[in-house]
Structure formats: C-alpha cells, structure tokens
Amino acid sequence: MSGPQLRAGVRERADDEREVRPVELFFDLVYVLAVTQVTHYLLDHLTVRGMVETLILLLVVWLGWIHVVWTTNYIHLGTMRVRLMLLGLMLAGLVMSASLPEAFGDRGLTFAFAAVALILLSSAFFLFAIGRDHRLSRIIERAAIWWTAVCALLVAGALVDGDARLAIWLAAVALAYTVMWVGFPVPRLGRSVTGDYTILGDLFTHRCYLFITIALGESILVTGSSFGALPGSSGTTAAFVVAFVGSVALWWIYFHHGQEIVRAMAAAEDPGRLALRGYTYFHVPMIVGIIALAAADELALAHPGEEASAEIAAIILGGAAIYLTGTILFRRSVQGRVMPARVAGVVALCALVPVAFVASTLVLLLAANAVLVAVAAWEAWAWRSR
C-alpha cells in the first residue's frame, strides 16, 4: 500500500465512520481479564502497600488501553493492515493481563514488555501509516519521545525487586500521566495543544462507555460466581442482593445522562480537550471505584457478618466516594456542570466513616450502596422534573 493510500486512512471529523467496529469490540475482550486480575490482586493484597501496587497496575493497564483508543480514533479500521495491527496489540494486552497477578513478582518483565508493546508499537504503526509529512506526525513524534522514557522506566523497574520496583513503576506512571496533561513538551519541537487532537468525540465516548461496561460487568461476574460457589445463608443472600443493587446504582449514575454526553462530544469545538480531561484522566477514579466496590462485594459475600477492618472500610467508603468524585469531575469537564446530588453523596459517604468502626462488612456495604442509590434516585427525579 502506498503512502498516499495509507494517509487516506486517517479519519476526519466530517467522516461518517463513527460506529465502534467489531474489531474494537474484540480487542476490548482482553480487558475483561485485565479488570478481573486487578480486582483479585486487590483482594489478595488488601494492605496499604497492596492498594498502591493495585493502583499502579491499573494505571498501566488503563494507559495501554486509552493509548490504543486514541490511536484507533484517528485511523479507519477497514483495511486488513490496521486490523492485523489491532489484533497484534490485543495479543500484547492479553500477555499483560495474564502476567498481572505476578507483576510485582516473577513476571514483572513480561508485564513490562507487554505494556511497552501496547504503547510503542501502536505509536510506531500510526506514524508509519500517516507519513511524516502529515499534520499529525509532529504530535506522534513528541509523544513517542516521552513514551520511550516511560517504557524505559517500566523495563528498568521490572529488572529490580521489592521497593525499588514499586518506586520506579510509580515514577513511570507519574511521568506518563504528567506529560499527557501538559502536551508532551519537547525542546525545539514544542508541545501539543488539545486543539491539535482532531478526534471523533462521539466515537471516543462510545469506546469509553464500553470500558465502563466491562468494569461493571466484572463486578456482576464476581457477585454471581461468588454467590454460586458459597453455601446458602441469609447473610450471603442479603450480600448478593446488596451487591447487585450497588452495581445497578453505579451503572445508573454513569449512563443516565449518556446521550447528553454523546451530543456534547459530537458538537464540541475542541473534542481533544474533553477527551484528554474527561476520559483519559477523570475516568480513572471511576474505574478505581468500580474495582474497589467489586472487591468489597466479594468480601461481603464471603464474610457478611465479620466486623469491617480499616482496609475493608477504605475500599467500601473510599471506593464509592472516589467513583462519585470521578463522575463529578467528568461531568464538570464535559458539560461544565456540577451535579449537586453527587457532591451530597460524597459528603454522606464521609459522614459514614464513624459507622465503619462498629459495622459489619455487609452493613457498611449496605450503607454505602444506599448512598449511591439515593444519588441515582435524586438525579432521576430531577431529570423528570426538568
């Protein structure tokens, strides 16, 4: 395929191809495993250090996924070459997900190399596809310089153990998320501004919808599989119902005003700014909250009557509060509005902290989910009234 033919594959905002393609849906299946692995890593390492490690792993997983989303948002996916590229990245994502439980152990190098493949290969293919004379090439070149530094840190961290790996990988994710925010500044090459990111905003929205659905679906799978494997009891049944209602509330809060978001992204003059802030960054706390609450659901099902420890209280109340905070920041960045029900929900969750000292795991989860349901109901009522 010649250079001009390849460059014709770059999507523009006026293009009609705005649906999520089957190959993208297939690619996302890998992240069902990734989210499940992150959730179980948190359950298996329910300490302060374990929570930090879980966050680092999640940030690397999200970095790989969102980087591929940015790349594919620019390129038409109808050609065999692009589809094969995406399937190759899918393999890298599968290796990364499979090695995640031992990422801070014996499989750190495998995890790091898989993440490096996701980031660097997608950038290299995109640059090759559009050619160096395309207006987007300078953006990719600046980003690739910084991605190389981030990937070097990921590999360097995998070559050491213990606290050193934790520190280097923490530096890697801090560098990655900092340079994305400031536009990948490079001496003599300048920096990118969000107006340069001429993405298809509504398509970007639907891609991120899918990831949130994957994360919520994983919590449903955890709830269903745990309930089916445990002996029947009133406590387990109650925990099952509470967990399901909580998942519904999380879904409702995110998706209830979904069409407003799609229209806002489609009509935005600077969709790159909304995609960078609202999706690349402010979706992270939402996913953190969903994973934390999925872990809490499994703990409540297994030990409904046990007194909630500080760590369990942190993932229940903290997970719900972080999720609501993420939705507040997201709506503020995309629509310019602050949702009062969600602010009140965060305040209510903070007020439940004293309850954590005396409540069982099930009771505390019930209280947190009651706040989420109240937020969803408040917004539904406000929507009907408006």
Side-chain angles (χ1 to χ4, degrees):
M1 188 177 291
S2 66
Q5 286 175 307
L6 281 170
R7 287 191 285 277
V10 177
R11 290 196 267 204
E12 304 292 346
R13 292 197 69 188
D15 288 347
D16 293 329
E17 187 190 335
R18 291 172 177 268
E19 294 183 358
V20 177
R21 302 294 290 269
V23 68
E24 293 175 289
L25 297 174
F26 189 49
F27 173 81
D28 286 348
L29 289 178
V30 168
Y31 287 85
V32 176
L33 175 61
V35 173
T36 300
Q37 298 280 52
V38 172
T39 304
H40 286 131
Y41 191 93
L42 177 60
L43 285 167
D44 294 338
H45 303 82
L46 200 55
T47 62
V48 174
R49 182 190 178 94
M51 293 177 187
V52 174
E53 290 178 351
T54 303
L55 179 60
I56 291 173
L57 296 175
L58 175 60
L59 289 173
V60 173
V61 167
W62 176 255
L63 182 65
W65 184 84
I66 200 68
H67 183 65
V68 172
V69 169
W70 275 94
T71 302
T72 55
N73 200 265
Y74 284 116
I75 305 176
H76 288 289
L77 301 179
T79 66
M80 180 65 70
R81 183 178 301 215
V82 174
R83 290 180 180 179
L84 290 175
M85 178 273 293
L86 196 56
L87 293 175
L89 295 175
M90 181 180 178
L91 176 60
L94 183 60
V95 172
M96 180 183 66
S97 301
S99 59
L100 193 149
E102 290 297 324
F104 280 95
D106 295 336
R107 304 189 71 179
L109 203 55
T110 303
F111 177 82
F113 275 128
V116 167
L118 273 170
I119 296 169
L120 292 187
L121 291 182
S122 56
S123 296
F125 180 88
F126 186 30
L127 188 59
F128 171 74
I130 65 175
R132 296 201 62 183
D133 58 337
H134 195 277
R135 57 182 171 77
L136 293 173
S137 63
R138 186 59 60 88
I139 298 173
I140 303 304
E141 290 171 359
R142 282 192 293 257
I145 292 171
W146 283 109
W147 290 139
T148 301
V150 170
C151 291
L153 286 173
L154 289 174
V155 174
L159 295 174
V160 295
D161 297 315
D163 293 342
R165 181 176 300 180
L166 180 67
I168 295 174
W169 279 3
L170 188 60
V173 295
L175 177 63
Y177 285 86
T178 298
V179 296
M180 281 194 295
W181 185 267
V182 298
F184 304 102
V186 176
R188 297 185 180 181
L189 294 180
R191 58 184 288 270
S192 300
V193 296
T194 55
D196 297 332
Y197 306 145
T198 53
I199 63 167
L200 303 177
D202 47 347
L203 179 61
F204 206 100
T205 299
H206 283 110
R207 293 289 282 118
C208 292
Y209 275 4
L210 289 171
F211 198 98
I212 292 292
T213 302
I214 286 170
L216 289 171
E218 194 277 335
S219 69
I220 296 293
L221 288 174
V222 166
T223 300
S225 60
S226 298
F227 182 68
L230 292 168
S233 68
S234 58
T236 300
T237 302
F240 174 74
V241 173
V242 168
F244 176 74
V245 171
S247 296
V248 171
L250 294 173
W251 173 85
W252 189 281
I253 290 168
Y254 181 83
F255 285 101
H256 182 55
H257 303 286
Q259 288 306 311
E260 288 185 359
I261 298 296
V262 173
R263 288 192 291 268
M265 286 293 290
E269 294 183 2
D270 186 1
R273 180 180 63 84
L274 304 186
L276 178 67
R277 297 180 183 180
Y279 289 96
T280 303
Y281 284 88
F282 296 151
H283 266 56
V284 172
M286 285 187 267
I287 296 164
V288 168
I290 291 170
I291 288 174
L293 288 170
D297 291 341
E298 188 163 347
L299 290 170
L301 280 160
H303 311 287
E306 288 190 8
E307 183 177 340
S309 65
E311 292 79 11
I312 293 175
I315 64 172
I316 293 176
L317 298 180
I322 290 170
Y323 177 82
L324 287 179
T325 300
T327 65
I328 292 167
L329 294 172
F330 172 59
R331 295 287 181 167
R332 178 70 178 83
S333 67
V334 175
Q335 292 181 293
R337 292 196 289 137
V338 174
M339 314 291 278
R342 303 181 188 193
V343 176
V346 174
V347 173
L349 289 165
C350 293
L352 287 174
V353 171
V355 177
F357 292 100
V358 296
S360 66
T361 300
L362 175 56
V363 169
L364 190 60
L365 182 64
L366 173 62
N369 284 350
V371 172
L372 296 174
V373 169
V375 170
W378 181 349
E379 292 189 349
W381 172 81
W383 175 263
R384 288 176 62 87
S385 299
R386 190 172 60 183

